[in-house]
Amino acid sequence: MMRNNLGAAKRLRKELQCLEKAATNGDSDVDIFLRPTSPSSLLHWTALIKGPIDTPYEGGVFKLSIRCGSDYPLSPPTITFDTKVFHPNVHFSKGDVCLDILKKEWSPAWGLQAACRAVLALLSDPDAESPLNCDAGNMVRGGDKLAYWTTAEMYTFENAMFLGWPDEE
Amino acid sequence: MQSETMPSDDDDAQTQDKLTQAQLTAIENEIKSSQPLTSQLLPISALLHQYSTTAANEQQQSAGFIQSAQFLSTKYTSLRRVRGDGNCYYRAFLYSLCEHLLLRNSNNNETGGSKEFSRIKTTIANSLKWVCQFGYEEMTIDMFYEELVELFDFIETSLSAADNNDKSASTAAGAAEDESNRNNAQQQLHAKLNEENSTSDYCTWYLRVLTAAQMKSNPDRFLPFLLADETNMMMDIPTFCSREVEPMGKECGMVTVAALAECLGVKVVIEYMDGRLSNNDNDAAVGGIGIGRSGEVVNHVFGQIHDENDEDRDRICLTLLYRPGHYDILY
């Protein structure tokens, strides 16, 4: 019987085991490093993601903060960027992410790693129709690729070049 | 150069987004606090009462509903409401299925019961490997699968307790005890399926996975029913499933109703009550889905098997009430 947040803990423990097993076998996702923020709680995780190539985020490492409620995985985790990023669907000062699979289209079939992969896909493929950062949204929507690219790249250089990639041994 | 003035109107966008989100959350909380996942059994008159007490200016609109409610009152005795959170079809299906299995089996007169229980239990027990063939990862779905298996174990335990009792039920005292055991089991089931963030939600989502897998397993059967989305492009089945079936809170349409019924080999009768008036017999000829003769409510049956060999199977038949956007259970 699933009592309240036991379900969340059970599922998150499984996700952690999977990540650790992949690390041991050397087949971790090379673009995502994902672990609980502290050993004391499985409800709060930190992820590092590598800016995708051929985007203005290339070369950057971005830190994400992930919080799960006790009704995870029935409800989606909340993901925010801790690293400042200039992107139409990420709030510039607060780091909130606007992504359908983290809202109405979330399904328990997704896990935290899949959610991080979706954030990476969003970096490659911004959706200017539902902007949280209107400046970035207007640039993309208005077709001013160059302005968007150079601004985003500048913020990548300014904010996302300081985090080293963890050694998974 | 950490520009804090950079965002011009995105704080507005943020505020708006937050507002809608806050409103949605408020509505969800309101529903949560005012509606149980599944209500107690209500007399069918509750249905009529709901429409006959509406304000005078809405009377006109509810006339069709009153007519339908009157018709249904002659056909059914009771109603069980299901929370209106977008999961009502799956939740109603789950509750009604469990209740049927529990009550049917403990009733000695219906001999097909235990055979039907084992058939469905086996289908469910074998379903984890089956759904994994359609792209679901065992790691993410096994908890949900296990919850449904445990629920069936619970029903089986209740049934075997009733069975043992049957052997000594020749006396009046034995029969009374049998009756009280059955009530007890039913109450336990009700409590189990009303716990928040627990059995009902977990099993409800697993039914969504079964529905999606059923559609993916037989695309020729289901693809023609998928409506075109806003771009006027046919959605393929995996896209449809990931948008409309797999997320919690997405309502169930005709295709998905059929898929779930066929997946478990269960018959589902749905009474469609859409509020349209029918004043004379001619309406029936031109009428759409909800219009029958003189206020009759039209029902549709899903999950009918055309296999001749299955004819004699004493199949479970669930009866649900549909009103626009919502399902409840009928008795």
Side-chain angles (χ1 to χ4, degrees):
Chain A
M1 186 168 313
M2 220 54 81
R3 295 254 176 234
N4 300 318
N5 61 8
L6 283 183
K10 192 174 167 188
R11 164 68 173 267
L12 288 164
R13 200 170 306 122
K14 256 184 203 174
E15 294 195 31
L16 179 58
Q17 278 165 359
C18 264
L19 290 165
E20 283 171 341
K21 195 173 156 210
T24 317
N25 299 339
D27 52 331
S28 296
D29 191 315
V30 293
D31 298 317
I32 299 168
F33 179 80
L34 174 66
R35 286 296 183 275
T37 307
S38 90
S40 62
S41 167
L42 280 169
L43 295 176
H44 189 189
W45 292 54
T46 301
L48 298 177
I49 57 173
K50 281 183 190 162
I53 53 165
D54 294 328
T55 71
Y57 312 104
E58 183 175 348
V61 172
F62 299 84
K63 189 172 162 195
L64 306 176
S65 171
I66 304 171
R67 282 170 202 278
C68 303
S70 58
D71 50 0
Y72 178 84
L74 285 168
S75 295
T78 306
I79 299 187
T80 50
F81 272 83
D82 280 358
T83 308
K84 196 178 270 297
V85 61
F86 184 81
H87 183 283
N89 310 107
V90 182
H91 191 271
F92 188 68
S93 49
K94 294 177 192 140
D96 298 359
V97 182
C98 180
L99 185 57
D100 50 8
I101 72 110
L102 293 179
K103 289 180 180 162
K104 278 283 158 209
E105 291 193 8
W106 167 261
S107 133
W110 294 78
L112 296 184
Q113 193 175 28
C116 289
R117 247 180 258 131
V119 172
L120 275 175
L122 186 70
L123 286 183
S124 301
D125 194 10
D127 173 16
E129 296 311 313
S130 56
L132 271 184
N133 179 336
C134 291
D135 293 313
N138 288 338
M139 288 175 188
V140 173
R141 202 162 26 182
D144 196 347
K145 273 258 170 227
L146 187 66
Y148 160 66
W149 187 286
T150 49
T151 316
E153 201 172 45
M154 179 189 77
Y155 281 107
T156 303
F157 281 127
E158 241 175 39
N159 302 287
M161 296 302 202
F162 311 112
L163 292 166
W165 198 256
D167 193 7
E168 281 207 80
E169 287 317 301
Chain B
M1 195 204 84
Q2 201 79 297
S3 159
E4 292 309 328
T5 53
M6 187 73 206
S8 53
D9 50 358
D10 59 331
D11 270 334
D12 278 351
Q14 174 83 355
T15 314
Q16 284 227 316
D17 192 56
K18 276 272 156 65
L19 195 65
T20 358
Q21 200 53 50
Q23 284 166 336
L24 285 175
T25 313
I27 293 168
E28 276 165 21
N29 288 340
E30 164 75 27
I31 289 173
K32 238 180 178 172
S33 62
S34 62
Q35 302 175 0
L37 293 173
T38 37
S39 78
Q40 295 292 339
L41 206 57
L42 305 166
I44 194 75
S45 57
L47 192 59
L48 190 57
H49 184 75
Q50 183 184 341
Y51 294 105
S52 50
T53 53
T54 48
N57 57 350
E58 286 169 24
Q59 288 283 343
Q60 193 58 39
Q61 282 159 300
S62 55
F65 283 106
I66 292 175
Q67 194 179 53
S68 307
Q70 276 162 344
F71 171 75
L72 291 174
S73 305
T74 62
K75 202 172 168 187
Y76 297 95
T77 61
S78 314
L79 164 83
R80 194 186 296 278
R81 294 190 202 278
V82 180
R83 182 183 286 172
D85 61 358
N87 299 310
C88 53
Y89 178 77
Y90 300 95
R91 212 184 291 285
F93 183 98
L94 175 75
Y95 193 104
S96 186
L97 177 65
C98 291
E99 201 178 33
H100 267 94
L101 291 170
L102 191 65
L103 298 182
R104 233 165 104 116
N105 275 264
S106 47
N107 188 342
N108 256 350
N109 301 328
E110 290 187 70
T111 46
S114 73
K115 213 172 97 192
E116 189 64 350
F117 177 82
S118 341
R119 183 187 66 79
I120 297 175
K121 187 171 190 275
T122 309
T123 307
I124 287 166
N126 294 336
S127 67
L128 184 63
K129 289 273 169 291
W130 177 69
V131 297
C132 286
Q133 291 171 24
F134 301 102
Y136 299 99
E137 279 178 57
E138 192 173 323
M139 193 269 287
T140 58
I141 58 172
D142 60 358
M143 270 165 56
F144 299 89
Y145 160 79
E146 283 159 15
E147 193 68 24
L148 188 56
V149 168
E150 275 174 37
L151 182 60
F152 269 71
D153 288 344
F154 164 80
I155 296 172
E156 192 164 43
T157 312
S158 307
L159 292 176
S160 64
D163 225 28
N164 288 339
N165 237 47
D166 279 347
K167 284 167 191 144
S168 59
S170 45
T171 62
E177 198 181 329
D178 192 35
E179 178 69 26
S180 106
N181 275 353
R182 193 183 310 164
N183 286 340
N184 229 337
Q186 205 178 352
Q187 274 166 19
Q188 279 180 38
L189 179 72
H190 185 79
K192 221 173 153 61
L193 293 180
N194 263 314
E195 217 178 316
E196 301 283 345
N197 188 22
S198 186
T199 309
S200 183
D201 279 338
Y202 274 72
C203 295
T204 291
W205 188 67
Y206 193 66
L207 293 183
R208 288 179 175 275
V209 175
L210 290 178
T211 305
Q214 180 71 15
M215 292 183 71
K216 290 176 182 180
S217 73
N218 195 348
D220 294 344
R221 160 108 178 83
F222 297 106
L223 192 59
F225 295 103
L226 295 190
L227 295 170
D229 66 8
E230 66 271 20
T231 57
N232 268 340
M233 299 271 287
M234 280 288 281
M235 240 194 264
D236 61 15
I237 286 183
T239 310
F240 176 81
C241 288
S242 70
R243 282 194 201 159
E244 302 296 333
V245 186
E246 290 156 14
M248 284 295 273
K250 292 285 180 107
E251 283 168 18
C252 191
M254 293 261 229
V255 196
T256 26
V257 166
L260 181 57
E262 286 165 25
C263 178
L264 293 180
V266 171
K267 213 160 96 178
V268 182
V269 173
I270 300 178
E271 299 281 357
Y272 281 88
M273 187 170 163
D274 65 2
R276 276 185 287 177
L277 268 175
S278 69
N279 290 320
N280 54 58
D281 289 358
N282 292 339
D283 276 357
V286 293
I289 223 170
I291 300 188
R293 231 178 311 130
S294 306
E296 274 184 24
V297 175
V298 163
N299 63 45
H300 287 261
V301 184
F302 295 88
Q304 268 171 323
I305 287 194
H306 304 292
D307 184 351
E308 303 280 311
N309 301 331
D310 263 318
E311 242 176 3
D312 63 338
R313 208 171 73 201
D314 189 11
R315 287 206 299 149
I316 293 277
C317 177
L318 314 179
T319 312
L320 305 179
L321 168 66
Y322 173 84
R323 283 174 286 172
H326 190 66
Y327 291 93
D328 291 305
I329 309 170
L330 283 172
Y331 296 84

